[in-house]
Amino acid sequence: TFFFLVSHPQVKVIHAQGINSAFIAVLLKFIFKIKVIISTHAVYEFQGESLFAKVTRWTFNHADKILSLLEHSKKELVKLGVSENKIEPYTYWVDQKLFSVKEKHLAKKELNWEEQKFYVLFVARLFEKKGVIELLEAAKNLEHSNIIFHIAGTGPLEEKVKEYSNKFNNII
Protein backbone atom coordinates (compact mmCIF):
# COMPACT_ATOMS: atom_id res chain seq x y z
CA THR A 1 0.00 0.00 0.00
CA PHE A 2 2.87 2.40 0.80
CA PHE A 3 4.27 1.75 -2.68
CA PHE A 4 0.95 2.82 -4.21
CA LEU A 5 0.77 5.95 -2.10
CA VAL A 6 4.11 7.01 -3.54
CA SER A 7 4.01 5.51 -7.04
CA HIS A 8 0.38 5.09 -8.03
CA PRO A 9 0.46 7.58 -10.93
CA GLN A 10 2.94 5.29 -12.76
CA VAL A 11 0.97 2.07 -12.09
CA LYS A 12 -1.60 1.33 -14.78
CA VAL A 13 -2.43 -2.32 -14.06
CA ILE A 14 -2.13 -4.74 -11.16
CA HIS A 15 -1.73 -8.41 -12.07
CA ALA A 16 -2.80 -10.46 -9.05
CA GLN A 17 -2.16 -14.18 -8.78
CA GLY A 18 -4.68 -16.04 -6.64
CA ILE A 19 -7.65 -15.03 -4.53
CA ASN A 20 -5.90 -13.32 -1.60
CA SER A 21 -3.83 -10.97 -3.72
CA ALA A 22 -6.81 -10.43 -6.05
CA PHE A 23 -8.94 -9.17 -3.16
CA ILE A 24 -6.26 -6.64 -2.20
CA ALA A 25 -5.78 -5.64 -5.86
CA VAL A 26 -9.49 -4.93 -6.29
CA LEU A 27 -9.50 -2.77 -3.15
CA LEU A 28 -6.53 -0.84 -4.59
CA LYS A 29 -8.43 -0.54 -7.88
CA PHE A 30 -11.20 1.38 -6.12
CA ILE A 31 -8.75 3.62 -4.26
CA PHE A 32 -6.34 4.39 -7.12
CA LYS A 33 -8.60 3.92 -10.19
CA ILE A 34 -6.38 1.36 -11.93
CA LYS A 35 -7.11 -1.85 -13.83
CA VAL A 36 -6.83 -5.32 -12.30
CA ILE A 37 -6.04 -8.63 -13.99
CA ILE A 38 -6.38 -11.80 -11.93
CA SER A 39 -4.69 -15.10 -12.78
CA THR A 40 -6.19 -18.19 -11.24
CA HIS A 41 -4.26 -21.45 -11.23
CA ALA A 42 -6.59 -23.68 -9.24
CA VAL A 43 -9.97 -25.21 -8.71
CA TYR A 44 -11.31 -24.09 -5.36
CA GLU A 45 -14.37 -26.33 -4.90
CA PHE A 46 -16.56 -23.63 -3.37
CA GLN A 47 -19.10 -24.72 -0.79
CA GLY A 48 -22.47 -23.26 -1.76
CA GLU A 49 -22.92 -19.67 -0.65
CA SER A 50 -20.09 -19.65 1.89
CA LEU A 51 -18.43 -16.36 2.82
CA PHE A 52 -15.37 -17.47 0.84
CA ALA A 53 -17.53 -18.03 -2.26
CA LYS A 54 -19.24 -14.65 -1.90
CA VAL A 55 -15.96 -12.75 -1.41
CA THR A 56 -14.42 -14.57 -4.37
CA ARG A 57 -17.41 -13.78 -6.62
CA TRP A 58 -17.30 -10.11 -5.62
CA THR A 59 -13.52 -9.93 -6.12
CA PHE A 60 -13.46 -11.63 -9.52
CA ASN A 61 -16.48 -9.68 -10.81
CA HIS A 62 -14.66 -6.43 -10.03
CA ALA A 63 -11.55 -7.41 -11.97
CA ASP A 64 -11.09 -6.08 -15.49
CA LYS A 65 -9.89 -9.45 -16.82
CA ILE A 66 -9.43 -12.96 -15.41
CA LEU A 67 -6.87 -15.39 -16.80
CA SER A 68 -7.83 -18.99 -16.09
CA LEU A 69 -5.29 -21.79 -16.46
CA LEU A 70 -7.79 -24.62 -16.41
CA GLU A 71 -11.05 -24.94 -18.31
CA HIS A 72 -12.49 -26.54 -15.16
CA SER A 73 -11.48 -23.46 -13.18
CA LYS A 74 -13.26 -21.23 -15.71
CA LYS A 75 -16.42 -23.34 -15.44
CA GLU A 76 -16.25 -23.17 -11.65
CA LEU A 77 -15.99 -19.37 -11.69
CA VAL A 78 -18.91 -19.05 -14.12
CA LYS A 79 -20.99 -21.38 -11.93
CA LEU A 80 -20.06 -19.17 -8.95
CA GLY A 81 -21.52 -16.17 -10.78
CA VAL A 82 -18.44 -14.57 -12.31
CA SER A 83 -19.06 -12.96 -15.68
CA GLU A 84 -17.88 -15.37 -18.40
CA ASN A 85 -16.88 -12.58 -20.79
CA LYS A 86 -14.15 -11.49 -18.34
CA ILE A 87 -12.48 -14.93 -18.30
CA GLU A 88 -9.76 -15.83 -20.83
CA PRO A 89 -7.89 -19.16 -20.90
CA TYR A 90 -4.12 -19.26 -20.91
CA THR A 91 -1.35 -21.82 -20.65
CA TYR A 92 2.05 -21.64 -19.05
CA TRP A 93 4.88 -20.78 -21.42
CA VAL A 94 6.06 -24.38 -21.39
CA ASP A 95 6.06 -26.85 -24.24
CA GLN A 96 3.53 -29.27 -22.77
CA LYS A 97 4.32 -31.93 -25.36
CA LEU A 98 7.97 -31.95 -24.35
CA PHE A 99 7.30 -31.52 -20.62
CA SER A 100 4.40 -33.86 -20.04
CA VAL A 101 3.26 -35.89 -17.07
CA LYS A 102 4.71 -39.40 -17.03
CA GLU A 103 4.46 -42.33 -14.71
CA LYS A 104 7.25 -42.13 -12.15
CA HIS A 105 8.92 -45.44 -13.02
CA LEU A 106 8.94 -44.56 -16.75
CA ALA A 107 10.43 -41.11 -16.11
CA LYS A 108 13.13 -42.59 -13.87
CA LYS A 109 13.96 -45.19 -16.51
CA GLU A 110 14.20 -42.51 -19.22
CA LEU A 111 16.55 -40.44 -17.03
CA ASN A 112 18.60 -43.47 -15.93
CA TRP A 113 17.62 -42.82 -12.33
CA GLU A 114 17.57 -45.67 -9.84
CA GLU A 115 14.06 -46.91 -9.04
CA GLN A 116 14.62 -47.20 -5.25
CA LYS A 117 15.96 -43.65 -4.84
CA PHE A 118 13.95 -40.48 -4.25
CA TYR A 119 14.91 -37.50 -6.42
CA VAL A 120 14.47 -33.80 -5.67
CA LEU A 121 14.62 -31.51 -8.71
CA PHE A 122 15.19 -27.79 -8.12
CA VAL A 123 15.12 -25.50 -11.17
CA ALA A 124 15.42 -21.78 -10.48
CA ARG A 125 17.66 -18.76 -10.50
CA LEU A 126 20.34 -19.52 -7.92
CA PHE A 127 20.02 -16.70 -5.42
CA GLU A 128 19.30 -16.53 -1.72
CA LYS A 129 15.56 -15.76 -1.81
CA LYS A 130 14.87 -18.99 -3.72
CA GLY A 131 16.10 -21.02 -0.72
CA VAL A 132 19.17 -22.50 -2.39
CA ILE A 133 21.30 -22.37 0.77
CA GLU A 134 18.61 -24.15 2.80
CA LEU A 135 18.28 -26.78 0.08
CA LEU A 136 22.04 -27.37 0.02
CA GLU A 137 22.14 -27.70 3.81
CA ALA A 138 19.24 -30.17 3.76
CA ALA A 139 20.97 -32.18 1.03
CA LYS A 140 24.23 -32.17 3.02
CA ASN A 141 22.39 -33.52 6.08
CA LEU A 142 20.78 -36.24 3.97
CA GLU A 143 23.97 -37.32 2.21
CA HIS A 144 23.75 -40.92 3.43
CA SER A 145 20.05 -41.35 2.63
CA ASN A 146 18.57 -42.51 -0.66
CA ILE A 147 17.61 -38.93 -1.63
CA ILE A 148 19.38 -37.34 -4.61
CA PHE A 149 19.18 -33.58 -5.26
CA HIS A 150 19.39 -32.31 -8.83
CA ILE A 151 19.88 -28.53 -8.97
CA ALA A 152 19.65 -26.57 -12.22
CA GLY A 153 20.03 -22.85 -12.77
CA THR A 154 22.42 -19.93 -12.86
CA GLY A 155 22.90 -16.97 -10.60
CA PRO A 156 25.04 -15.54 -7.80
CA LEU A 157 25.10 -18.84 -5.86
CA GLU A 158 26.13 -21.02 -8.80
CA GLU A 159 29.67 -21.51 -7.46
CA LYS A 160 28.28 -22.43 -4.02
CA VAL A 161 26.09 -25.11 -5.64
CA LYS A 162 29.09 -26.46 -7.58
CA GLU A 163 31.15 -26.49 -4.36
CA TYR A 164 28.51 -28.58 -2.57
CA SER A 165 28.07 -30.91 -5.55
CA ASN A 166 31.82 -31.58 -5.52
CA LYS A 167 31.73 -32.39 -1.77
CA PHE A 168 28.53 -34.42 -1.52
CA ASN A 169 27.58 -37.38 -3.70
CA ASN A 170 23.83 -36.73 -3.45
CA ILE A 171 23.98 -33.24 -5.00
CA ILE A 172 24.09 -33.00 -8.77
Side-chain angles (χ1 to χ4, degrees):
T1 305
F2 177 74
F3 170 78
F4 279 94
L5 291 174
V6 175
S7 306
H8 76 275
Q10 291 87 13
V11 176
K12 304 294 184 223
V13 177
I14 298 174
H15 183 189
Q17 310 240 351
I19 292 174
N20 295 334
S21 62
F23 179 75
I24 294 167
V26 168
L27 293 177
L28 292 171
K29 172 185 177 165
F30 288 119
I31 296 168
F32 297 107
K33 310 290 187 243
I34 54 180
K35 294 189 179 286
V36 171
I37 298 171
I38 299 172
S39 289
T40 180
H41 308 263
V43 175
Y44 298 101
E45 298 179 359
F46 296 102
Q47 302 300 313
E49 281 296 308
S50 66
L51 178 61
F52 180 58
K54 289 176 183 177
V55 169
T56 301
R57 178 175 44 244
W58 179 87
T59 301
F60 279 62
N61 274 324
H62 284 89
D64 295 285
K65 187 58 77 179
I66 302 160
L67 303 175
S68 174
L69 178 62
L70 304 170
E71 185 62 31
H72 187 76
S73 178
K74 177 181 178 178
K75 287 177 184 174
E76 181 183 43
L77 292 172
V78 170
K79 183 179 173 186
L80 184 66
V82 175
S83 175
E84 186 172 8
N85 64 355
K86 288 186 176 202
I87 305 171
E88 294 288 333
Y90 77 97
T91 58
Y92 289 122
W93 298 105
V94 173
D95 182 340
Q96 294 177 347
K97 289 183 178 120
L98 179 62
F99 297 100
S100 61
V101 176
K102 295 183 181 179
E103 291 190 38
K104 182 170 37 174
H105 73 279
L106 295 175
K108 282 184 172 183
K109 185 176 182 178
E110 190 176 311
L111 294 166
N112 293 319
W113 287 359
E114 297 175 46
E115 187 66 36
Q116 70 279 9
K117 297 212 180 217
F118 182 85
Y119 293 85
V120 174
L121 175 62
F122 178 88
V123 180
R125 187 159 179 268
L126 303 176
F127 71 110
E128 196 170 338
K129 284 189 178 184
K130 293 286 185 177
V132 178
I133 299 299
E134 291 82 357
L135 181 67
L136 292 170
E137 286 300 310
K140 178 178 85 172
N141 293 331
L142 294 166
E143 181 183 21
H144 300 292
S145 71
N146 69 342
I147 302 174
I148 307 296
F149 294 80
H150 285 262
I151 301 172
T154 62
L157 295 175
E158 189 171 348
E159 290 305 314
K160 184 79 138 173
V161 171
K162 287 178 183 176
E163 174 188 318
Y164 271 69
S165 73
N166 289 332
K167 280 186 189 176
F168 303 100
N169 293 331
N170 66 330
I171 302 174
I172 300 169

